[in-house]
Amino acid sequence: MFTTFVGVPPSATGGTKEKITGGTLISLSSEPPETSVYTPPKPKRLQVTRACAWCRTHRVKCDNQIPCRNCHSRGWKCSNKGSDELQKLAEAYREIDRLKQQVNELDKQLKEERDVTNAERLRSMTPISSPSASTASEPASRKTWDGVHASAAYSGQKTYYGPSSLFYFIGRMSTYLTSVLQSLHLDEQMELNSVAKSFLTPNCNNPLEAQEPSSQEPSKSMSSGESLTPTQEEYFLNLFWQSYHSSLLVLDEQDFKEHYKSLWATPGKPRKPSALVDIVIAMSMQYGLASIPRTNSRVSSKVDADDPTIAGRWYYRRCQSLLSSELESPTISTLQCQVLIVIWLCCASFQNMAHCNLALAVRTAQMLGLHAEPPETMPLAEKEMRKRLYWSLYAVESKTCMKLGRPFSLDLSTTLCSLPSDDHTVSMLAGSSFAPLGENVTWLSYNLYNTKLILAARTVHTMLYDKYSDVYNGDKGSTIYDDLEALERYADFLAISVKALDVWVQTVPDALKTKRENDGVAFSTDLSPLIVERFAPLWLQRQRLLLELLYHNLTMNLYRPFVTFPSASSSSSPPPPPTPVTQSNADSAVSHGMAISHIMYQILSETDILHGWHEAFQWQWNAALTLAGYLFAYPSSSYTSTVRKAVDRTIEVFDIFGRSFAAGNSAAAVMRDLAAKVDFLASIAGNGPMHASDAVAAGPPILDESRNTILINEDNTATTNVPTMDMAFSVDWSESLGTHWADIGNMPDNWGQVLG
């Protein structure tokens, strides 16, 4: 009834249930035994105690042979070295702890290395003349290039200007003229009419009445005669998008328009106050009124409260009042207002006020964390907007500090924010509708290349003024101009460093270059005529011009310190050593200055692209004084004749600006007076070296134009009244002569030839 079975492995056939014992087949089915198939048992795989290193690494089977089959076939060295390591769990834990400790030590070393690197970068980015550049460890013999203190405002209070400023250059030029003309020129005789010199504040109150507290109440609301109608506000807001917006990327047009629309909550009632709207209107009024010629046949050089450079001041004042309540809890809108305030104050000639507001904007940006890279979770449009705002502030701060010769507040060592993007995707999210300029160029590309230009110029600027103490140790004289050999080495250093700007020029896309006639080259000093595209949008033409003008202005400022005025020593003194590189750098400075004058004259004469553009006016003023200084320094240079014609061209440019605002006429008067001095010295030089007073007695030409004159005194000395100006972008006031005073002596030898 029951059957006993012997346990055996299943048959290989799998078709029946079978058992095998000692080779005897026992069937569990009813089929005959002869139908089953016998299968021998499979041999057991040999166990490997420890795979070799190569087989363990590649996770393949190994054997007990040495070398194993895998290593033998592939030519590898078969080894079990280290096979006994970490065989216990405790040993593995100890190894993990050791590796963790090693990683921590490496992280600590890396952090220390980064701290050292950042400290070195910080020192390299600090101007040599700033107090922060001096440390207790520096040797006492380290020579710094000191700046000057001078008055640039109505109050007469003196402030600091560094050797890179136009102020410093004007001081050197005035000292030289004092020596050769035998007449002292005071600061009061060297100031250009401007709002800052005529009024204490942008409110344009009477200076005597401004001392009363009641007249300075900041919360005073604007009267109906001072405010604009809604239609007028809309006109000036639209003007902002047509002018500043494409070159100063601090606002999102779509967001701003939605914000402005929300201010008109109640129909028939005034809009709600907004600091951002007020400063945008103020900037547009300042630009718009300056771009329209005045109704008078000739605008006076006297600045009054109706001057276009101060237009919109009531909106500026209300903006400042509204911002005072946001300082403890600033927003992105707060920073946008502060940046625009800086621009408005610069154009109004209040340079020190602009610099103070600039420092406030820097702190606000750091409070908002704009110096750090935006988080990845933030929307792309918002991330790029924050980047554009931060780098726009960085550009304005860098330009201002380089022009005034003052230390920088923002530094790359503390800047972790990457440069903004200019691709098509980001441009479509930027809130404005502009046509693309090419495959990889958009309306945002100007902002990117403008920022890169300023970064390159700032790097060269910092390297140049940090190098001063290495080149000049103060053994000869008080400045490097007393040691021409050191000056020549210094010039050679700049000639190498400035190549960074040449590299930048090569990266600028063709879409951002203004074409030239006669195969001329953009961003060059060949003075070839510009080709103004008739059907190119106005914003694009302005971007191209502003980018090239800024390049020439920054490059000219780097070369200008090497314009060297001759010593007024007697002819018996030994001749100075030759300085070919210094001369070449001076020639380069005026080449870029002439390029600015050439572009400005053609554009203002043929188009209205730059009419009312205050920064372009300041660049022209900066270039004009550089040209005049070169003529005094090098009366017999091969460039002299060309530079003298360029000076006349600058006068024509200022006359065009003078149709709209008084500063243009003041600048033209200054240049006419300086040109008369150049011609006067050239005329008396035909008789060889002599005292200026002797030449005056012989009867030189006399120029008399209002308060800007060369006159002959009763004691046969020539006196002049030469106004100058300064603005935070590129214009500085005249310098006190105290730090540059030179003994009055004979005419320099190089005035022994008549100008060509």
Side-chain angles (χ1 to χ4, degrees):
M1 181 176 180
F2 296 96
T3 305
T4 301
F5 300 95
V6 179
V8 294
S11 173
T13 62
T16 59
K17 299 179 181 179
E18 301 171 337
K19 298 293 181 180
I20 299 176
T21 304
T24 303
L25 178 64
I26 301 176
S27 177
L28 300 180
S29 65
S30 59
E31 296 180 4
E34 56 270 21
T35 61
S36 300
V37 180
Y38 172 78
T39 303
K42 297 175 67 174
K44 283 188 176 183
R45 185 176 68 87
L46 296 176
Q47 297 294 327
V48 180
T49 304
R50 180 77 175 180
C52 70
W54 190 93
C55 292
R56 286 201 311 272
T57 303
H58 295 82
R59 305 181 78 80
V60 297
K61 293 180 180 179
C62 190
D63 54 40
N64 287 324
Q65 300 178 10
I66 299 176
C68 69
R69 185 180 305 162
N70 292 327
C71 292
H72 178 73
S73 61
R74 291 172 173 81
W76 289 91
K77 182 179 180 180
C78 188
S79 174
N80 263 325
K81 184 178 180 180
S83 59
D84 295 333
E85 295 178 0
L86 304 179
Q87 292 183 355
K88 298 181 180 179
L89 184 60
E91 294 175 352
Y93 281 138
R94 284 195 295 270
E95 179 67 12
I96 292 173
D97 292 339
R98 186 187 68 81
L99 293 175
K100 285 183 178 180
Q101 183 179 0
Q102 185 177 1
V103 170
N104 292 334
E105 292 176 355
L106 292 175
D107 286 341
K108 183 178 179 181
Q109 294 177 8
L110 181 60
K111 184 178 182 301
E112 293 175 353
E113 183 67 24
R114 286 175 176 172
D115 293 341
V116 172
T117 303
N118 290 338
E120 292 176 351
R121 293 177 61 191
L122 180 61
R123 287 193 297 269
S124 67
M125 298 300 291
T126 306
I128 195 66
S129 58
S130 64
S132 60
S134 300
T135 61
S137 60
E138 290 180 343
S141 60
R142 185 176 179 86
K143 185 68 176 179
T144 59
W145 197 346
D146 297 325
V148 293
H149 290 78
S151 171
Y154 178 86
S155 66
Q157 178 65 36
K158 293 185 177 182
T159 51
Y160 174 86
Y161 297 91
S164 65
S165 67
L166 182 59
F167 189 159
Y168 191 89
F169 181 74
I170 291 175
R172 294 174 53 223
M173 181 167 57
S174 64
T175 302
Y176 173 73
L177 291 177
T178 297
S179 176
V180 298
L181 294 177
Q182 299 284 294
S183 176
L184 176 63
H185 297 273
L186 301 176
D187 287 350
E188 289 76 10
Q189 298 174 296
M190 299 283 289
E191 296 169 356
L192 180 70
N193 291 329
S194 68
V195 179
K197 293 298 295 184
S198 302
F199 302 97
L200 280 173
T201 68
N203 296 334
C204 294
N205 295 325
N206 187 303
L208 297 179
E209 299 175 355
Q211 303 299 328
E212 301 179 6
S214 59
S215 65
Q216 293 296 309
E217 179 59 42
S219 60
K220 176 185 176 182
S221 61
M222 294 190 301
S223 65
S224 58
E226 297 162 355
S227 60
L228 301 176
T229 65
T231 303
Q232 292 171 332
E233 281 195 0
E234 184 177 358
Y235 168 82
F236 283 111
L237 290 176
N238 289 334
L239 186 60
F240 180 87
W241 308 121
Q242 299 167 14
S243 56
Y244 279 109
H245 180 56
S246 61
S247 59
L248 185 63
L249 304 185
V250 297
L251 297 180
D252 184 296
E253 182 178 359
Q254 183 177 353
D255 291 347
F256 180 90
K257 289 182 176 180
E258 292 177 358
H259 168 67
Y260 182 69
K261 184 179 180 179
S262 68
L263 300 178
W264 299 93
T266 306
K269 297 292 185 178
R271 65 171 172 84
K272 297 178 182 179
S274 169
L276 185 59
V277 172
D278 283 348
I279 192 58
V280 170
I281 292 176
M283 288 187 63
S284 298
M285 293 179 67
Q286 187 184 55
Y287 162 73
L289 296 181
S291 63
I292 304 174
R294 305 286 285 271
T295 55
N296 309 35
S297 58
R298 180 176 176 81
V299 180
S300 171
S301 60
K302 182 180 180 181
V303 177
D304 54 26
D306 295 328
D307 193 85
T309 57
I310 204 65
R313 63 184 180 275
W314 299 111
Y315 282 91
Y316 154 80
R317 180 182 181 184
R318 189 168 69 176
C319 170
Q320 289 280 41
S321 178
L322 293 172
L323 281 182
S324 62
S325 62
E326 301 181 18
L327 297 181
E328 184 60 30
S329 302
T331 63
I332 291 294
S333 176
T334 307
L335 179 59
Q336 291 170 330
C337 290
Q338 291 169 342
V339 174
L340 297 179
I341 284 173
V342 170
I343 306 299
W344 188 88
L345 287 170
C346 285
C347 295
S349 77
F350 288 94
Q351 57 169 344
N352 288 327
M353 290 182 65
H355 202 189
C356 290
N357 280 270
L358 191 55
L360 185 61
V362 169
R363 291 293 175 243
T364 301
Q366 294 170 340
M367 293 177 195
L368 297 173
L370 295 189
H371 62 289
E373 186 72 13
E376 292 295 332
T377 56
M378 184 177 292
L380 179 61
E382 185 178 354
K383 285 198 298 185
E384 292 298 325
M385 180 66 240
R386 290 168 66 93
K387 290 181 182 181
R388 290 194 296 270
L389 178 57
Y390 178 80
W391 285 106
S392 295
L393 172 63
Y394 193 99
V396 173
E397 200 260 348
S398 297
K399 286 195 298 183
T400 303
C401 292
M402 283 190 289
K403 298 310 300 178
L404 300 180
R406 295 172 182 171
F408 301 103
S409 298
L410 288 173
D411 193 86
L412 287 178
S413 63
T414 58
T415 297
L416 305 177
C417 177
S418 59
L419 290 174
S421 175
D422 65 334
D423 59 37
H424 290 282
T425 301
V426 173
S427 67
M428 295 176 64
L429 299 174
S432 300
S433 299
F434 293 98
L437 305 179
E439 181 178 356
N440 299 314
V441 184
T442 65
W443 72 283
L444 300 177
S445 298
Y446 164 83
N447 180 64
L448 178 60
Y449 285 93
N450 180 78
T451 303
K452 289 182 178 179
L453 169 61
I454 293 173
L455 285 173
R458 173 170 166 168
T459 300
V460 178
H461 171 95
T462 304
M463 292 171 59
L464 178 66
Y465 290 98
D466 280 352
K467 188 69 175 178
Y468 182 83
S469 60
D470 296 334
V471 175
Y472 176 68
N473 56 15
D475 290 342
K476 296 181 180 179
S478 58
T479 67
I480 196 170
Y481 299 107
D482 299 322
D483 188 347
L484 296 184
E485 294 180 356
L487 184 64
E488 181 71 359
R489 296 193 301 271
Y490 201 38
D492 189 61
F493 175 79
L494 176 64
I496 298 174
S497 304
V498 81
K499 295 184 183 298
L501 295 180
D502 298 333
V503 174
W504 174 86
V505 170
Q506 297 173 2
T507 65
V508 178
D510 292 337
L512 293 178
K513 294 180 180 179
T514 303
K515 297 181 180 179
R516 298 298 204 275
E517 297 179 2
N518 307 324
D519 297 326
V521 180
F523 294 94
S524 70
T525 56
D526 59 11
L527 304 183
S528 55
L530 284 69
I531 299 177
V532 181
E533 296 185 40
R534 294 181 56 188
F535 302 110
L538 181 62
W539 62 267
L540 176 58
Q541 296 185 56
R542 185 178 287 121
Q543 281 186 348
R544 292 170 173 171
L545 292 171
L546 293 179
L547 192 62
E548 184 163 357
L549 287 171
L550 177 61
Y551 163 75
H552 287 301
N553 185 68
L554 293 175
T555 308
M556 177 186 65
N557 290 341
L558 291 172
Y559 281 120
R560 185 173 56 203
F562 297 94
V563 175
T564 307
F565 296 97
S567 173
S569 59
S570 62
S571 58
S572 59
S573 301
T579 54
V581 182
T582 302
Q583 174 73 55
S584 177
N585 287 357
D587 294 343
S588 296
V590 293
S591 295
H592 288 280
M594 289 190 292
I596 293 175
S597 303
H598 175 79
I599 295 174
M600 290 294 298
Y601 177 77
Q602 180 179 349
I603 295 302
L604 291 176
S605 301
E606 300 177 3
T607 72
D608 58 355
I609 300 174
L610 296 180
H611 279 275
W613 205 265
H614 293 279
E615 189 175 12
F617 167 76
Q618 295 160 12
W619 289 336
Q620 179 61 87
W621 171 250
N622 191 35
L625 289 183
T626 302
L627 298 179
Y630 181 89
L631 289 177
F632 290 122
Y634 305 98
S636 57
S637 167
S638 59
Y639 273 70
T640 299
S641 178
T642 305
V643 175
R644 179 62 183 86
K645 294 177 182 178
V647 168
D648 291 336
R649 184 61 56 87
T650 65
I651 295 174
E652 297 180 68
V653 171
F654 291 136
D655 283 337
I656 296 175
F657 279 118
R659 300 169 189 169
S660 302
F661 50 88
N665 289 325
S666 295
V670 171
M671 293 310 300
R672 287 189 176 93
D673 188 77
L674 291 177
K677 283 186 174 67
V678 169
D679 297 338
F680 168 63
L681 293 175
S683 65
I684 64 175
N687 296 324
M690 58 187 303
H691 286 86
S693 57
D694 298 334
V696 172
I702 300 175
L703 173 68
D704 187 352
E705 292 189 12
S706 182
R707 59 187 292 269
N708 309 296
T709 59
I710 293 180
L711 297 175
I712 299 178
N713 298 332
E714 294 181 357
D715 58 352
N716 290 332
T717 58
T719 59
T720 60
N721 189 355
V722 187
T724 57
M725 70 176 295
D726 176 79
M727 296 185 182
F729 277 118
S730 62
V731 183
D732 305 289
W733 294 106
S734 167
E735 153 197 18
S736 173
L737 299 177
T739 60
H740 293 288
W741 184 256
D743 294 334
I744 296 178
N746 295 331
M747 280 281 252
D749 293 341
N750 62 349
W751 276 105
Q753 302 178 11
V754 180
L755 293 177

